[in-house]
Amino acid sequence: MRVARTLPALTRAIAALRARRGRIALVPTMGALHEGHLSLVRLAQKRAERVIVSIFVNPTQFAPNEDFRSYPRTFAADLNALAAQHVDLVWAPAAETMYPEGFGTKIVPEGAALAGLEDAFRPHFFAGVATVVAKLLLQCAPDIALFGEKDYQQLKVITQLARDLNLKTRIVGAPIAREADGLARSSRNVYLTPDERKAAPTLYRALQACAAQIAAGQPLGAVLDEGRAAITRAGFALDYLEARHSATLEPIGSAQEGPIRLLVAARLGRTRLIDNVAV
Ligand code: AMP
């Protein structure tokens, strides 16, 4: 497994991968790798002959009051996990490589990025994500790039970005990897105290209960109100629990307007968790 940390090294490594032919997949990550990331790598290996994983904690997608400084960084362990998975290339640029002095371009997505979900609570987030992902896709020029449904709105924004900018890379979504008790795997789960960790699966259970009730024909508004109450009772500070059209993320009034995706974000102590399910 090669590790590139500068743009010239990346260019050389990608030329070597291209010389061996076959499709190239990119899996962008912020490191602190867990089973969710590795499931993306395995899916990438099914879809492409060569796999690149990028590791970059992107400062521009964090607001000043967010956890950029404390975000978990486990680079040595990440490299071991990726080598064990037979990844071909790791792209791990420094912040100065991605944003050198004089950097002055920002991609500000609209459409799915203005759905009133994550954007309502993290207004800076999708411009940071869109800009860094566009750079990663241009730097690596992969045939496909994989993103988790865990970050469902982000997957929609990136799909839209690739289409709108006529990027050659096909964006592929991957299912959510969960702990045995249902908690969606996340690099931020390490922030949870033992008590918070016990309460955390409530989020997924509430989503599942809402999805079952909606599928059984119960009225959307009442189901969501009960879901919101259950999440708050479990000790979360709720940012949102919403039913949206699964393709457009537009609000919907009844199950007939679906297919529905239920999306939630809530804070438990200092940890902000997000999750979503299909109905
Ligand atoms: P992150 O390192 O958190 O920015 O995530 C990198 C990629 O892994 C994103 O496409 C995420 O959606 C995806 N991802 C993170 N957690 C999971 C999970 N539990 N299941 C599936 N994909 C995930």
Side-chain angles (χ1 to χ4, degrees):
M1 185 177 79
R2 294 175 77 163
V3 180
R5 308 206 63 158
T6 66
L7 283 166
L10 178 71
T11 303
R12 280 195 302 275
I14 287 179
L17 291 184
R18 286 269 170 227
R20 285 192 268 158
R21 295 206 187 83
R23 284 175 301 256
I24 295 181
L26 173 67
V27 180
T29 80
M30 299 206 298
L33 299 183
H34 51 69
E35 188 50 37
H37 298 112
L38 298 180
S39 72
L40 259 62
V41 169
R42 285 192 292 272
L43 183 58
Q45 287 171 327
K46 283 194 193 133
R47 301 288 184 88
E49 285 69 32
R50 309 282 165 209
V51 173
I52 306 172
V53 175
S54 64
I55 297 179
F56 181 62
V57 185
N58 176 36
T60 66
Q61 70 192 66
F62 291 81
N65 64 325
E66 291 183 344
D67 57 343
F68 174 69
R69 278 167 184 281
S70 60
Y71 194 82
R73 288 166 173 84
T74 58
F75 190 62
D78 292 349
L79 290 188
N80 285 337
L82 296 175
Q85 201 79 53
H86 307 294
V87 162
D88 298 276
L89 171 63
V90 175
W91 169 222
E96 306 74 54
T97 299
M98 292 300 266
Y99 303 112
E101 191 144 329
F103 186 89
T105 299
K106 183 152 77 174
I107 296 178
V108 183
E110 299 180 354
L114 298 178
L117 297 165
E118 285 301 285
D119 50 297
F121 294 87
R122 307 185 70 193
H124 56 282
F125 177 68
F126 286 117
V129 167
T131 305
V132 80
V133 169
K135 284 174 68 74
L136 292 167
L137 294 177
L138 291 166
Q139 289 163 345
C140 299
D143 300 290
I144 67 172
L146 292 94
F147 294 86
E149 289 182 347
K150 160 90 189 327
D151 301 277
Y152 194 80
Q153 188 181 6
Q154 171 178 284
L155 171 61
K156 297 292 170 196
V157 170
I158 290 165
T159 303
Q160 169 190 288
L161 167 92
R163 191 181 56 226
D164 289 353
L165 299 186
N166 306 116
L167 301 181
K168 301 288 181 257
T169 303
R170 197 160 60 80
I171 306 301
V172 175
I176 302 176
R178 299 182 179 281
E179 304 282 356
D181 60 11
L183 176 64
R185 293 182 186 263
S186 165
S187 303
R188 290 190 167 98
N189 289 351
V190 298
Y191 298 154
L192 296 168
T193 66
D195 281 348
E196 289 167 352
R197 177 63 189 82
K198 273 188 215 135
T202 305
L203 211 53
Y204 178 53
R205 281 203 287 274
L207 285 174
Q208 280 183 307
C210 288
Q213 288 161 16
I214 293 167
Q218 295 188 28
L220 216 50
V223 169
L224 291 175
D225 282 345
E226 172 46 30
R228 290 179 185 122
I231 290 166
T232 306
R233 273 198 307 275
F236 286 88
L238 183 67
D239 281 352
Y240 59 82
L241 168 63
E242 293 276 334
R244 295 298 181 94
H245 191 282
S246 59
T248 63
L249 293 185
E250 284 187 10
I252 52 176
S254 74
Q256 288 68 43
E257 297 166 40
I260 297 178
R261 198 88 189 181
L262 297 177
L263 304 106
V264 69
R267 286 163 285 122
L268 203 48
R270 72 177 188 116
T271 312
R272 187 170 183 278
L273 300 175
I274 61 173
D275 201 348
N276 64 86
V277 298
V279 173

